[in-house]
Amino acid sequence: MKGVILAGGLGSRLRPLTLVTNKHLLPVYDRPMIYYPIQCLLNAGISDILIVTGGEHAGDFLKLLKNGKDLGVRHLAYAYQEGEGGIADALKLAEDFADGEKICVVLGDNIVEGNIRRAAGDFFTQRSGAKILLKEVPDPQRFGVVRFEGEGEHKRVAEIIEKPSSPPSNCAVIGIYFYDADVFKVCQSLKPSGRGELEITDVNNYYLQRGDLTHEIIDGWWTDAGTFESLYRATDL
């Protein structure tokens, strides 16, 4: 399985800091933010990694990470996203890199306390489809949120709603996703949302409707780091 880190975007919620650097190069305690998703993949046994970035500071990733050897990455590749087309649009750039293999996609500002090795292993043996990771959060209206059906062992994801004003649960879809090779056809078929972007929630809902989307609620804490509040929380954690 290969790893894809999406580290583009303008980071407008973190201005003026992001006027002079890419959001994912800002410090979270004693390391650049991008180190955390790289380590997340390495902890899961994934050492063939593509970083998708963009903007005028894209070259700084190469300056910082070089070929990834110092961090333990076996093979580090880069792709450049032009414009702001959303997460699913950025993911399309990984098709040649994936080369038909399953992939684990991590948003570059997502930081987890625990290890996703178990989820990665489960997906490796999953015949087809996708897997999403969930975490209970105090502010679900900021995220894609799941609506469940059933109870206990029969509890399943019935719907994923992007940034709902009235969340059906407090379980957010965190920015770590597993996909089979069909994901690139799915991304090509998407139409822009009201925000003018290709939404990753639409990708996940496709697999949900197809019947081969699985989920796991992660252990330990999780946070994004895309706002001043969450960047502070990530550093504190």
Side-chain angles (χ1 to χ4, degrees), residues 181-206:
D182 292 344
V183 69
F184 301 107
K185 295 177 188 173
V186 179
C187 289
Q188 294 289 353
S189 69
L190 292 181
K191 295 180 180 177
S193 67
R195 299 194 303 164
E197 296 186 355
L198 302 185
E199 304 285 357
I200 201 70
T201 294
D202 292 338
V203 175
N204 295 332
N205 274 321
Y206 168 87

Side-chain angles (χ1 to χ4, degrees), residues 27-89:
V28 175
Y29 186 48
D30 61 348
R31 289 182 282 173
M33 191 187 300
I34 191 67
Y35 276 35
Y36 294 90
I38 291 174
Q39 193 61 52
C40 176
L41 290 170
L42 292 175
N43 289 345
I46 300 169
S47 59
D48 198 352
I49 298 172
L50 171 72
I51 294 177
V52 180
T53 187
E56 59 188 60
H57 307 295
D60 293 343
F61 285 91
L62 188 60
K63 196 183 303 181
L64 173 70
L65 302 172
K66 303 179 177 64
N67 63 5
K69 184 175 68 173
D70 291 344
L71 294 177
V73 179
R74 185 174 63 85
H75 175 232
L76 184 62
Y78 300 89
Y80 186 86
Q81 180 186 19
E82 297 181 13
E84 291 292 306
I87 296 171
D89 185 58

Side-chain angles (χ1 to χ4, degrees), residues 67-191:
N67 63 5
K69 184 175 68 173
D70 291 344
L71 294 177
V73 179
R74 185 174 63 85
H75 175 232
L76 184 62
Y78 300 89
Y80 186 86
Q81 180 186 19
E82 297 181 13
E84 291 292 306
I87 296 171
D89 185 58
L91 183 54
K92 289 192 291 186
L93 297 173
E95 184 170 7
D96 288 343
F97 169 79
D99 195 26
E101 289 189 38
K102 291 179 176 179
I103 58 172
C104 176
V105 180
V106 184
L107 303 190
D109 65 350
N110 274 236
I111 301 172
V112 292
E113 177 188 20
N115 193 314
I116 65 165
R117 181 181 282 272
R118 183 180 65 192
D122 289 345
F123 185 67
F124 186 76
T125 59
Q126 185 174 318
R127 290 185 62 184
S128 67
K131 177 183 280 290
I132 55 174
L133 302 184
L134 309 176
K135 188 65 183 175
E136 292 187 358
V137 296
D139 49 355
Q141 63 278 0
R142 284 183 56 213
F143 307 101
V145 178
V146 297
R147 178 174 65 82
F148 289 110
E149 284 183 352
E151 297 291 337
E153 293 182 4
H154 302 291
K155 193 174 185 179
R156 68 176 191 89
V157 175
E159 186 180 9
I160 306 169
I161 308 166
E162 185 66 25
K163 297 181 176 63
S165 54
S166 300
S169 76
N170 61 350
C171 272
V173 181
I174 73 170
I176 303 176
Y177 320 94
F178 297 90
Y179 297 114
D180 65 12
D182 292 344
V183 69
F184 301 107
K185 295 177 188 173
V186 179
C187 289
Q188 294 289 353
S189 69
L190 292 181
K191 295 180 180 177

